[in-house]
Amino acid sequence: MVKRQLPKPTELLELMQFKKPELDGRKRRLDSALTIHDLRAIAKRRTPKAAFDYTDGAAEAELSLARARQAFEDIEFHPGILKPAPDVDTSVEILGGPSALPFGIAPTGFTRLMQTEGESAGASAAGAAGIPFTLSTLGTTSIEDVKKANPHGRNWFQLYVMRDRDISYGLVRRAAAAGFDTLQFTVDTPVAGARLRDKRNGFAIPPQLTVGTIMNAIPRPWWWYDFLTTPKLEFASLSTTGGTVGELLNAAMDPTISYDDLDVIRSMWPGKIVVKGVQNVEDSVRLIDAGVDGIVLSNHGGRQLDRAPIPFHLLPHVVREVGRDATVMVDTGIMNGADIVASLALGAKFTLIGRAYLYGLMAGGRQGVDRTIAILRSEIERTMQLLGVASVAELEPGHVTQLARLVPVGQPLAGRVGVS
């Protein structure tokens, strides 16, 4: 028989602890985001459709992006037991310098269109977190201003080889003069991919106003206020900015880019050089044998060739062929700190985040980027603790199994190099 009594006021007060209201709307909004997907949802509410879709979208049917994200979900972790890891060390040495976390910010173009603080927010947040920031050739903040935003941190520069080689050479010299320590030589963009969301939205640089864009902007006046009351967009390389993104890329990029161009840039660049956009084992081996400082397995976030290989699936095959001491990095599809941990376990030395950073930026500027980094840091630390590892160096292939979803017809998974 349950004994009942009238509640005592003092006991009620102990049970009823009211949370102090947060009056800062931006902080309240960002604190509610517990995952990168939460930040994406906030970003979608706050950003005009054309700008959001430029960030969120990929090429053609967007299969490459969907498959890359699915690949990270299709893993199984194998934790060890009775291996206490009350404190974990997430720091790594990468390309001759430290990073407090095993990821950096990837290069993204037209970033101030997404949120007016743009690359300055990303660079300053990266500097505060002790991780590298990468400026894109198509960034909307100059090389010198990124250096000002992140004066003591690690700045990297991503280079497209342009039809006018002198433009590219000038950018290399400027980045070196500004103290950038690593150059990402990008090889997966001889021409622009078919980014159909942009075409359907009529997305152009500068934005083209239509009845649709105006109607979409009405519930988002803060974005237009920021856009119209801040300095004109400036690009790191392009002097002509009219047209769709695809038109701009096709006008600027050179489909004849070759190993000769890589040799020329290597002779000019005083720091570390990595090749970004590698998508098969053979090219990985050739580049490492040629003495580049590292490679980034990437299909450009699914924004170039749809149905391209999945970098995360390619990773263990490349590491097996080039050796675990080679600097192999990976991007595309990372939305959780567990994705980063799985990549490290399979041999990646480092990872890069693109959309995850941009979702935070669109959700809340610099504070939103801080929130992205904090979410990923927490997920990395928790995953490592649950696996029973105290440092990144302890992660190994035995901690992860990649589950098979897309198996080539007529071939077993284990017998296929670079299966996706």
Side-chain angles (χ1 to χ4, degrees):
M1 187 71 176
V2 176
K3 181 179 179 181
R4 300 187 182 277
Q5 65 182 30
L6 291 175
K8 297 179 182 179
T10 55
E11 293 176 347
L12 283 176
L13 289 175
E14 291 177 1
L15 294 173
M16 299 172 65
Q17 299 291 326
F18 291 98
K19 183 179 179 180
K20 182 179 178 182
E22 177 55 66
L23 301 181
D24 184 331
R26 178 180 295 197
K27 187 176 187 306
R28 183 172 63 248
R29 181 170 70 245
L30 294 174
D31 285 349
S32 72
L34 304 181
T35 67
I36 302 301
H37 290 282
D38 290 342
L39 287 175
R40 179 187 179 275
I42 296 170
K44 187 174 183 179
R45 293 197 302 267
R46 296 188 59 81
T47 311
K49 178 177 173 58
F52 178 81
D53 277 357
Y54 170 73
T55 305
D56 195 57
E60 302 192 38
E62 305 189 358
L63 296 174
S64 287
L65 175 59
R67 290 175 179 178
R69 287 180 173 169
Q70 188 66 58
F72 282 117
E73 295 180 8
D74 289 346
I75 63 171
E76 182 178 83
F77 281 119
H78 305 293
I81 62 170
L82 301 179
K83 295 180 177 180
D87 299 303
V88 295
D89 180 5
T90 60
S91 66
V92 296
E93 287 287 318
I94 185 70
L95 296 169
S99 178
L101 294 162
F103 68 88
I105 292 181
T108 60
F110 312 117
T111 311
R112 282 188 55 224
L113 273 177
M114 302 159 200
Q115 204 274 351
T116 191
E117 296 177 50
E119 291 90 355
S120 293
S124 59
I131 65 175
F133 173 84
T134 314
L135 174 65
S136 169
T137 291
L138 301 181
T140 45
T141 302
S142 72
I143 291 169
E144 293 76 16
D145 284 344
V146 164
K147 178 64 175 180
K148 290 177 183 177
N150 187 21
H152 306 297
R154 297 189 67 189
N155 293 307
W156 297 356
F157 186 73
Q158 175 266 335
L159 180 73
Y160 288 121
V161 175
M162 319 291 274
R163 291 178 186 271
D164 184 345
R165 295 294 196 271
D166 286 338
I167 293 176
S168 298
Y169 300 159
L171 292 170
V172 170
R173 295 186 185 99
R174 284 174 58 192
F180 284 48
D181 66 75
T182 296
L183 187 76
Q184 292 185 11
F185 184 92
T186 300
V187 296
D188 57 9
T189 317
V191 296
R195 302 173 190 178
L196 302 186
R197 288 204 217 183
D198 295 347
K199 293 183 179 180
R200 293 183 178 118
N201 289 329
F203 182 69
I205 310 296
Q208 302 296 305
L209 297 181
T210 65
V211 172
T213 57
I214 292 173
M215 292 297 293
N216 185 256
I218 289 175
R220 300 170 179 84
W222 52 81
W223 187 92
W224 285 102
Y225 174 78
D226 283 343
F227 180 75
L228 295 172
T229 60
T230 52
K232 179 183 176 182
L233 291 178
E234 294 181 352
F235 296 88
S237 63
L238 298 181
S239 57
T240 301
T241 58
T244 66
V245 174
E247 290 168 347
L248 290 170
L249 288 174
N250 283 333
M253 304 309 164
D254 191 343
T256 69
I257 181 175
S258 69
Y259 274 86
D260 290 339
D261 292 296
L262 175 59
D263 290 340
V264 171
I265 298 301
R266 288 180 71 186
S267 70
M268 298 175 60
W269 181 251
K272 301 290 186 179
I273 188 166
V274 301
V275 177
K276 183 177 185 294
V278 183
Q279 298 179 68
N280 64 55
V281 172
E282 293 78 12
D283 287 337
S284 302
V285 172
R286 181 177 179 183
L287 288 164
I288 294 298
D289 287 346
V292 299
D293 296 297
I295 58 174
V296 182
L297 303 179
S298 170
N299 63 31
H300 212 99
R303 296 164 74 81
Q304 285 298 106
L305 176 65
D306 206 11
R307 301 177 177 86
I310 299 168
F312 180 60
H313 279 176
L314 186 61
L315 173 63
H317 302 288
V318 169
V319 171
R320 183 173 61 246
E321 294 299 318
V322 303
R324 288 188 64 87
D325 291 335
T327 300
V328 178
M329 298 176 279
V330 68
D331 73 12
T332 303
I334 293 172
M335 291 286 284
N336 191 289
D339 304 341
I340 295 170
V341 172
S343 298
L344 299 169
L346 292 180
K349 291 291 190 292
F350 203 63
T351 61
L352 296 168
I353 60 164
R355 288 182 181 87
Y357 139 63
L358 295 175
Y359 293 143
L361 177 69
M362 290 186 288
R366 159 67 196 272
Q367 291 173 259
V369 182
D370 290 336
R371 185 62 180 153
T372 289
I373 295 170
I375 288 170
L376 292 174
R377 178 192 290 113
S378 176
E379 291 168 343
I380 290 169
E381 291 175 346
R382 182 169 57 252
T383 302
M384 290 174 64
Q385 287 177 309
L386 290 172
L387 286 174
V389 298
S391 69
V392 171
E394 294 180 26
L395 290 166
E396 57 186 29
H399 285 117
V400 179
T401 295
Q402 291 178 312
L403 304 177
R405 182 183 294 259
L406 300 175
V407 180
V409 174
Q411 290 185 320
L413 182 66
R416 174 71 171 175
V417 175
V419 64
S420 62

